[in-house]
Amino acid sequence: MDWLINIIHYVVPFLVLLGILVFVHEFGHYIIAKLCGVKVAEFSIGFGKQLWGKRDSSGTLWKISAVPLGGYCKFLGDGDAASSSNEASNLSEEEKKYAFAYQNPFKKLAIVIGGPAFNYLFAIVVFTAMLLSFGKMDFPPIIGSVIEGSPAQKAGIMPQDKILSVDGREVKTFNEFHQEVQMNTSGTVALELMRGDQKIKLDVTLAIIPLDKELKQEQKPMLGVVSVTEVEFDPVKLSFFEAVKEASIKTWDVSVVTLRGVGQMITGRRGTDDLGGIVRIAEMSGDISKSSSWLDFLIFMALLSINLGLINLFPIPMLDGGHVVIYIIEILLRREINEQAKEYVFKFGFLLLIALMLFATYNDFARLFNRWFS
């Protein structure tokens, strides 16, 4: 029966999570395409063999496919699900009016951005609803994990330690804890922790990371800890507009932190061990569904939606961001890029994505191996 319990706790939440986020993303493409007068031939959750399908009055085939690791909108005249090739030349003159390939680059750009934009909108809606229902939310000042080789690990800080104060200043949220560490100028931070029933005082020498190696300034002190995933709510009632503002700020902050992390990986200041893929998402969604509330699961979904929207905007061919770059270039040049050149670019992007997915999957299984056998 253990295998059945694991399916319930890991596979089912993962499929629900991914299905919702893929639907949100593709619906963004779909709705903007409809507004731009482009016909959507297929709207699929998943890839591969069709398991279920129904065609609506506008001719769009809505379907669920066998491989639940993504989805796509296939527009009229597209030769494949990624719109990287087309068969629009075979269309009649009337059909060409509704084909994606024959739209101006401004419409194409809007349709491509629609997917990531809806991922961001979904996160803002979730955060707004929670703020209106429960009040302000924040992560508690509890250590979720400690980065290997970091000052925190060397000082003996452990997961589940609760931070009481930083340099004598009481902290009530993880954000306050982070801000106090960033404000430290001495290079050594005094922490008061609660570990179980025991109070512990530690002096931790911070690692200093230069944000600009050439200028050697705007330096950032680093402790090397990550917060827990569960949030706490402060029952302060907000108006609708205050909630939307707060939700938008949180969404922006998550994007900034993600970009900083990616930048640190690219420049070598952070290891690539944090890079995860589908298996990591399934693991995290299962862990949260087992040990946390549905609110934490919904917040995790919103955070993942932000990351999905942001990553899709990266200027990598085959991703939405790669299409964005191409259409911006076409707008600037006032002409279309050669179709064969686009094909080569998309093939390179496909190989790059496969390589990244394989690397992320390797990290996922290495992490699982350490988790199971450590």
Side-chain angles (χ1 to χ4, degrees), residues 214-235:
E214 294 182 359
L215 297 177
K216 296 182 179 179
Q217 63 183 19
E218 299 172 312
Q219 291 182 333
K220 173 192 170 187
M222 195 272 286
L223 187 61
V225 294
V226 179
S227 71
V228 292
T229 56
E230 296 85 1
V231 299
E232 290 181 342
F233 290 94
D234 181 357

Side-chain angles (χ1 to χ4, degrees), residues 168-289:
R169 289 186 173 85
E170 182 184 7
V171 294
K172 295 182 179 179
T173 67
F174 195 87
N175 188 51
E176 290 180 2
F177 159 62
H178 175 75
Q179 289 176 346
E180 290 298 332
V181 171
Q182 297 303 299
M183 291 298 292
N184 181 279
T185 56
S186 67
T188 300
V189 64
L191 300 179
E192 186 178 18
L193 317 173
M194 179 66 75
R195 182 176 298 162
D197 297 328
Q198 181 185 11
K199 276 189 179 181
I200 300 173
K201 291 186 177 181
L202 294 174
D203 290 329
V204 185
T205 301
L206 300 172
I208 304 299
I209 300 176
L211 298 182
D212 192 314
K213 293 182 179 180
E214 294 182 359
L215 297 177
K216 296 182 179 179
Q217 63 183 19
E218 299 172 312
Q219 291 182 333
K220 173 192 170 187
M222 195 272 286
L223 187 61
V225 294
V226 179
S227 71
V228 292
T229 56
E230 296 85 1
V231 299
E232 290 181 342
F233 290 94
D234 181 357
V236 175
K237 293 299 180 182
L238 301 174
S239 70
F240 175 77
F241 293 106
E242 288 173 333
V244 171
K245 179 182 177 182
E246 188 78 16
S248 301
I249 291 172
K250 286 187 178 295
T251 301
W252 172 260
D253 289 342
V254 171
S255 300
V256 170
V257 169
T258 302
L259 282 175
R260 284 174 59 185
V262 172
Q264 289 170 352
M265 288 183 190
I266 293 173
T267 58
R269 288 181 287 161
R270 177 188 291 269
T272 54
D273 293 343
D274 291 336
L275 186 64
I278 292 294
V279 177
R280 176 61 172 159
I281 295 172
E283 179 190 10
M284 293 180 70
S285 61
D287 287 344
I288 292 172
S289 70

Side-chain angles (χ1 to χ4, degrees), residues 299-311:
I299 291 170
F300 175 65
M301 188 184 297
L303 294 174
L304 198 60
S305 186
I306 296 169
N307 280 273
L308 178 62
L310 180 62
I311 290 171

Side-chain angles (χ1 to χ4, degrees), residues 37-39 76-77 87-100 102-103:
V38 173
K39 183 176 180 179
L76 179 64
E87 300 171 352
S89 59
N90 299 324
L91 300 175
S92 67
E93 290 303 315
E94 181 64 22
E95 288 175 322
K96 287 179 182 179
K97 296 178 183 179
Y98 309 102
F100 180 84
Y102 287 92
Q103 305 304 311

